[in-house]
Amino acid sequence: MSTTVPGRIWALYRDGFRSMTVGRSLWALIIIKLVIFFAVLKLFFFPDILGTEYDNDTDRAAAVRMSLADGAGSLTETNQ
Amino acid sequence: MNDLLGVVDWSRAQFALTAMYHWLFVPLTIGLSVIVALMETIYVRTGNARWKGITQFWMTLFGINFACGVATGLILEFEFGTNWSNYSWFVGDIFGAPLAIEGILAFFMEATFVAVMFFGWNKVSRGFHLASSWLTALGVSLSAYWILVANSWMQYPVGCDFDPAQMRNVMTDFMAVAFSPVAVNKFFHAVFSGWTLAGVFVIGVSSWLLWRRSNVEAAKSSIRVGAWVGLAGILLTLWTGHGSAVEVARVQPMKLAAMEGLYRGSNGQSLVGVGVLKPESSRTADDPMSFSIDIPCGLSLLVYGNTTGFVPGIDDIIDGVTVNAQGDSIHGPSYADRIVMGKEARKALGDYEAARKAGDTAAMESAAARVQAYYSNFGFGYLPSPEAAVPNVGLTFYSFRVMVMAGGYLLVFILLVLFLSYRCNKWLENKWICLLGLLSIAVVWVCSQSGWIVAEVGRQPWVIQDLMPTSAAISGISKSWVQTTFWIFAAIFTGLLIAEMSIMLRFIGRSVKRDIENPKH
């Protein structure tokens, strides 16, 4: 068993992960969640609109300015 | 226009779904971390090994909930970039800074000390382990703090200047953003409500163990700790709730008026204890309620601490009536005037863009100065009428009353449990008391979610108070796209919730057959 601080930290995590019971299901759940969120939702359904449609911050600022100055339209009664 | 409406409404529904799902886990994590740390403190101070077993039981439930809630908030950030790109750009660094601090704190503090909590039994000293448990609790709360700072800035935008060139609000005073009274109050209100929720959760789960005649002593010991934390939580929630009401009256008077269904205010304004609003079509400013039991002067007392202060109603606020520091009514610009000024700010912004394209620096500076002059009313430029600035009164009014009534019930319930726990704890094994404990778990979650409905529906139509209405925050995406992702989320969240609940219930179910106070390790 290592007596150095990094070695003891490594052993803490290694032994901890090995002795998990409920934790195994939880890690499986977390990994499934992250895969769904990042590999599916973020990749295919949630692009960064301004980041992908415009090349630089000046263009992004101009797009938002145009949208807020003229393009966004009026608020409606149902927006409550 | 109809498509824009649909995009706004569906995006709001999607955001609400995600936020409410996220908030199922957060308050329990906040509160349970404190309860676990308290239980471990009892173990370390007494040296009684049964408390180690009890601590480990609740720590496992904390871990399950922590794992279930982790990353669910990330979806909200996805939505900012896709559905709310105008908003995301407009708030820029002000929103980004607190979220970045939260991310760093969450990653380093929680990841480090949660690992010691779970993996460090018999590996590190008792004192270090206990410190890790408390630091985890602190880290969880600090993470919540920065999220609530970001949320509070939307409700009370301070510490910033608007730069038309960047088209962003630029932070000028970090301390004003980080320690605005709205943020501080909201933080304590949310954290203490988490203590209440976790306390009731502990009582409820323990009641189930008592129902099954399993681990009776461990359950009763847990109930005592849960009830004390729950009592502290609910009393402090009441106190900070009062602080929140005072802040809402100051910075979001329209929200307060909607919470009360108040259209015409008065000096010595009464508080609606119990009431039913008339249908919107037959509701009038002078007679909005079908039925109500009022507390005389209650609202003035709540807001100003005296029985004579003026509390403006919805129509007063639209007419420009505000209140000075002494609680006297004064006249400012009406909402109709503010709409004119807001439209002027929007027009100036368009002029700025035209000048920028033409390369006319002098015209840009002139337009920027006009934007600045009217900026405090910028958001009003999107309103078709003053009445569009009124939130959904019914939903805000009833959500507030559900929250208050559920909170009142929980206070009585926790006091009852504490009384039984110390005076006749055999009664805690009574089936009806156990059933009440189990049902209270549902009540406390309803209470918690209702509070957020009041906070978020009541501030509509603003995504940033007075500066940006929700409809202007939206991206140029199609309604069908948002509908698709809404239903995908609904399916995923339902599946995840079932998986998460089954893990938690299976663990609780298995505990019936084992001795919590004497675990194997």
Side-chain angles (χ1 to χ4, degrees):
Chain A
M1 183 179 159
S2 175
T3 54
T4 62
V5 171
R8 287 166 62 191
I9 292 172
W10 165 250
L12 177 83
Y13 278 89
R14 184 198 59 207
D15 297 344
F17 279 112
R18 280 181 180 166
S19 62
M20 284 190 309
T21 51
V22 182
R24 288 179 201 278
S25 308
L26 296 176
W27 274 108
L29 187 70
I30 290 170
I31 290 166
I32 290 169
K33 248 194 311 196
L34 291 175
V35 168
I36 292 172
F37 289 177
F38 283 101
V40 181
L41 293 177
K42 180 64 182 164
L43 203 59
F44 297 109
F45 294 99
F46 286 91
D48 178 355
I49 297 278
L50 292 173
T52 53
E53 290 186 4
Y54 301 95
D55 294 331
N56 55 59
D57 281 357
T58 305
D59 289 348
R60 290 179 193 115
V64 174
R65 194 160 38 239
M66 286 302 293
S67 171
L68 292 181
D70 301 309
S74 292
L75 179 69
T76 65
E77 303 288 348
T78 59
N79 182 31
Q80 296 178 335
Chain B
M1 175 58 70
N2 284 338
D3 198 47
L4 172 67
L5 249 184
V7 173
V8 173
D9 289 343
W10 277 97
S11 292
R12 287 185 63 205
Q14 188 183 73
F15 201 89
L17 174 75
T18 317
M20 290 178 87
Y21 176 74
H22 184 53
W23 192 250
L24 289 175
F25 306 104
V26 175
L28 186 57
T29 300
I30 291 172
L32 212 46
S33 64
V34 171
I35 289 176
V36 165
L38 271 175
M39 288 173 167
E40 189 176 348
T41 304
I42 297 172
Y43 161 61
V44 171
R45 286 183 69 96
T46 63
N48 187 339
R50 64 184 288 268
W51 276 103
K52 182 180 179 183
I54 293 170
T55 302
Q56 287 177 333
F57 172 75
W58 293 106
M59 191 178 280
T60 305
L61 284 174
F62 165 80
I64 293 170
N65 183 66
F66 187 87
C68 295
V70 81
T72 52
L74 284 174
I75 298 287
L76 296 168
E77 297 194 27
F78 294 173
E79 290 169 31
F80 284 137
T82 301
N83 300 38
W84 308 101
S85 59
N86 278 357
Y87 162 82
S88 297
W89 187 266
F90 194 70
V91 298
D93 303 332
I94 295 173
F95 213 68
L99 294 185
I101 296 172
E102 189 273 339
I104 293 166
L105 265 177
F107 185 79
F108 287 106
M109 199 160 177
E110 291 170 35
T112 303
F113 293 113
V114 163
V116 176
M117 266 177 83
F118 285 94
F119 299 159
W121 291 108
N122 307 322
K123 295 268 174 71
V124 298
S125 70
R126 281 186 188 181
F128 184 65
H129 194 279
L130 178 61
S132 298
S133 297
W134 277 111
L135 285 169
T136 299
L138 181 67
V140 166
S141 291
L142 281 178
S143 291
Y145 185 75
W146 294 108
I147 297 293
L148 293 169
V149 163
N151 178 280
S152 299
W153 183 83
M154 296 157 74
Q155 322 241 4
Y156 181 48
V158 289
C160 63
D161 280 336
F162 178 66
D163 179 4
Q166 294 184 57
M167 202 51 214
R168 281 181 154 163
N169 288 281
V170 180
M171 192 186 295
T172 54
D173 186 348
F174 175 77
M175 299 302 275
V177 175
F179 299 104
S180 89
V182 174
V184 172
N185 239 302
K186 192 178 275 283
F187 166 71
F188 284 114
H189 195 57
V191 165
F192 293 140
S193 75
W195 291 15
T196 309
L197 186 139
V200 173
F201 174 80
V202 168
I203 294 169
V205 172
S206 302
S207 296
W208 188 78
L209 291 173
L210 292 174
W211 178 294
R212 297 292 306 270
R213 301 278 183 264
S214 163
N215 289 288
V216 170
E217 290 311 310
K220 287 181 177 176
S221 298
S222 299
I223 281 176
R224 282 193 179 185
V225 177
W228 278 116
V229 172
L231 182 65
I234 199 151
L235 292 175
L236 290 166
T237 302
L238 281 171
W239 179 49
T240 52
H242 168 69
S244 288
V246 171
E247 288 303 326
V248 166
R250 189 171 67 86
V251 304
Q252 295 175 302
M254 184 65 86
K255 184 195 281 187
L256 183 72
M259 285 158 65
E260 281 299 305
L262 178 65
Y263 285 79
R264 283 281 175 211
S266 63
N267 290 91
Q269 180 61 48
S270 59
L271 180 77
V272 179
V274 182
V276 177
L277 282 166
K278 283 182 176 170
E280 204 165 343
S281 55
S282 56
R283 204 180 297 159
T284 61
D286 295 322
D287 188 20
M289 310 296 294
S290 293
F291 151 82
S292 70
I293 300 173
D294 297 344
I295 301 167
C297 304
L299 196 56
S300 293
L301 197 62
L302 183 77
V303 172
Y304 305 113
N306 64 52
T307 55
T308 56
F310 178 81
V311 182
I314 290 168
D315 287 1
D316 302 311
I317 296 165
I318 286 175
D319 292 342
V321 177
T322 53
V323 178
N324 64 15
Q326 287 72 43
D328 301 322
S329 61
I330 52 173
H331 279 269
S334 69
Y335 273 21
D337 295 336
R338 297 186 77 176
I339 287 173
V340 172
M341 289 187 270
K343 287 187 189 302
E344 190 59 36
R346 284 186 71 192
K347 184 173 180 303
L349 199 62
D351 293 343
Y352 181 93
E353 180 61 15
R356 188 189 70 86
K357 282 179 179 164
D360 185 343
T361 311
M364 283 169 67
E365 285 175 7
S366 168
R370 280 164 52 219
V371 173
Q372 297 291 0
Y374 296 115
Y375 185 64
S376 60
N377 298 298
F378 184 74
F380 284 88
Y382 297 88
L383 304 184
S385 66
E387 289 70 27
V390 181
N392 185 323
V393 176
L395 187 53
T396 311
F397 176 87
Y398 289 117
S399 299
F400 180 62
R401 263 139 205 90
V402 167
M403 179 188 75
V404 170
M405 281 192 273
Y409 159 77
L410 290 168
L411 176 60
V412 173
F413 167 71
I414 291 169
L415 286 172
L416 171 72
V417 167
L418 265 178
F419 175 79
L420 294 179
S421 181
Y422 283 93
R423 293 290 175 178
C424 39
N425 81 30
K426 193 74 186 161
W427 269 83
L428 291 173
E429 298 171 46
N430 178 283
K431 294 270 181 189
W432 289 105
I433 299 293
C434 292
L435 187 63
L436 204 60
L438 281 168
L439 290 175
S440 297
I441 294 178
V443 174
V444 77
W445 253 283
V446 168
C447 184
S448 182
Q449 297 277 353
S450 300
W452 274 109
I453 292 173
V454 175
E456 299 304 306
V457 174
R459 65 138 138 168
Q460 294 299 320
W462 306 111
V463 66
I464 306 170
Q465 185 71 35
D466 296 351
L467 301 182
M468 178 178 262
T470 312
S471 68
I474 203 77
S475 306
I477 52 176
S478 71
K479 182 171 77 174
S480 58
W481 185 259
V482 186
Q483 283 175 317
T484 304
T485 51
F486 175 89
W487 291 115
I488 288 173
F489 276 169
I492 289 173
F493 289 161
T494 305
L496 283 174
L497 194 61
I498 291 169
E500 291 155 357
M501 291 290 288
S502 67
I503 292 173
M504 188 172 274
L505 292 176
R506 205 166 54 226
F507 174 77
I508 295 171
R510 278 207 302 260
S511 65
V512 171
K513 295 174 186 161
R514 66 185 187 87
D515 186 357
I516 290 174
E517 294 179 23
N518 295 295
K520 286 175 188 169
H521 53 282

